[in-house]
Amino acid sequence: MMSGGVGKYTHIDNQKVSGSVPSVPDPGHVAVQFTDSNLQTFPPSESQGKISGGTRPPRDADDTFSKPVSGSEESQQGGWFRTFTVAAYKPYFDVDTTDVLERIKYSLFPFRGTFTEKTVSNPDLYGPFWICTTLIFVAASIGTFVTYIAHKLQKKEWNYDINLVTWSAGVFYGYVLLVPLVLYVILKYFSAPSGLVQLFCLYGYSLFVFIPALCLSVIPVEIFRWVIAGVAGFMSATFVALNLRAHIMSAGERWFFIVAGIFLLQLALSVVLKLYLFTVTV
């Protein structure tokens, strides 16, 4: 009796439970669509913050030392203030070994007269600086060596002359700086201006021929030393005069005197070098 009642209530409860949870029909394939989002792609297409466009590194890791920060003191410098900055002279040292060797080769063939044309777009100060510096040490070392040998051969006491270094530095650096500067003013006066850096470059490379000439001066034959000094001076003078002739001809009828003065001044330099560096006195 009780078992039948229990089964009856159980059946009723099952009906109530099944009636409280309605069946859900199978919806089949459901297509889900998203509205436009604000998600960014990586890497971003435009600069945001310190991350620049493309795959470039952050600005503070890339060009902090190559580009002045906006509003900084360096970006506001201009005019004569730029002359006292390293950046003003950086383009004149933008040459490689091939360029320097090529220009040295042109200086050893003075009759071509094409050095100015080859360097007009990119004159450099790197070659002239190291040529003058090399000349100073070569002149001092060769002069010291030659005088040392001469004193020893005659069994005389020898003392090192420090004036060879200072005198050589004054001659070569002074010549390469002052002569082009004076010539620059003269050409400007005769309405045939030339670039000052171009003149520095030309005169600097014109002195290269004196390096092998100084090395050959160790041969203890006076007439041979005169020949070496004369040939080196003639090559250097011809190199400068021919490369400036075409430009100076625009100065009018006086161009010949200007070119002749340039040629003779370069010869005078070789004579001074012969009397002081190529001559050994015991």
Side-chain angles (χ1 to χ4, degrees):
M1 187 72 180
M2 290 182 63
S3 61
V6 173
K8 180 179 180 180
Y9 289 119
T10 303
H11 177 69
I12 294 173
D13 293 339
N14 291 335
Q15 287 180 348
K16 291 180 179 180
V17 173
S18 61
S20 62
V21 182
S23 61
V24 180
D26 186 9
H29 179 71
V30 179
V32 181
Q33 296 182 351
F34 295 93
T35 59
D36 295 339
S37 64
N38 294 325
L39 296 177
Q40 296 180 351
T41 58
F42 185 84
S45 58
E46 296 181 359
S47 301
Q48 297 186 7
K50 288 186 177 181
I51 305 297
S52 57
T55 58
R56 291 169 54 189
R59 181 187 181 279
D60 56 354
D62 181 36
D63 54 2
T64 301
F65 297 97
S66 60
K67 296 180 181 179
V69 181
S70 178
S72 64
E73 182 180 355
E74 181 180 356
S75 62
Q76 297 176 356
Q77 291 181 349
W80 285 101
F81 290 100
R82 180 174 169 80
T83 307
F84 301 99
T85 62
V86 177
Y89 302 95
K90 185 178 179 180
Y92 304 121
F93 291 85
D94 187 18
V95 289
D96 54 20
T97 305
T98 303
D99 296 329
V100 175
L101 292 179
E102 186 72 15
R103 296 175 183 191
I104 289 175
K105 183 179 71 174
Y106 276 105
S107 70
L108 296 177
F109 295 93
F111 295 101
R112 294 180 179 179
T114 58
F115 180 86
T116 304
E117 298 177 3
K118 299 293 183 180
T119 60
V120 65
S121 60
N122 186 28
D124 73 284
L125 299 178
Y126 179 86
F129 172 77
W130 284 111
I131 288 174
C132 291
T133 305
T134 304
L135 270 171
I136 294 169
F137 287 100
V138 169
S141 59
I142 294 296
T144 301
F145 175 75
V146 171
T147 54
Y148 174 79
I149 295 298
H151 280 75
K152 290 300 180 181
L153 290 177
Q154 298 187 15
K155 297 180 179 181
K156 292 184 178 181
E157 183 181 0
W158 174 81
N159 294 316
Y160 176 71
D161 187 8
I162 190 61
N163 293 326
L164 282 175
V165 178
T166 56
W167 190 88
S168 300
V171 168
F172 293 118
Y173 283 145
Y175 188 85
V176 172
L177 288 175
L178 295 179
V179 174
L181 186 60
V182 173
L183 182 60
Y184 172 79
V185 175
I186 293 175
L187 294 180
K188 198 168 185 179
Y189 175 78
F190 286 102
S191 300
S194 178
L196 182 59
V197 177
Q198 181 70 33
L199 294 175
F200 285 145
C201 180
L202 177 65
Y203 271 88
Y205 281 100
S206 71
L207 299 182
F208 177 81
V209 69
F210 289 105
I211 296 179
L214 284 171
C215 295
L216 292 175
S217 67
V218 298
I219 300 176
V221 179
E222 188 65 17
I223 186 63
F224 178 78
R225 289 173 176 168
W226 272 107
V227 172
I228 291 298
V231 171
F234 177 80
M235 291 178 62
S236 179
T238 304
F239 173 73
V240 175
L242 290 183
N243 277 281
L244 289 176
R245 181 186 61 178
H247 178 77
I248 297 177
M249 287 179 67
S250 61
E253 298 178 355
R254 300 180 181 180
W255 72 268
F256 178 79
F257 298 100
I258 300 175
V259 173
I262 293 171
F263 184 87
L264 294 176
L265 185 62
Q266 203 80 356
L267 282 180
L269 174 65
S270 65
V271 173
V272 172
L273 294 179
K274 167 62 184 74
L275 295 177
Y276 193 85
L277 296 178
F278 289 34
T279 300
V280 179
T281 58
V282 180

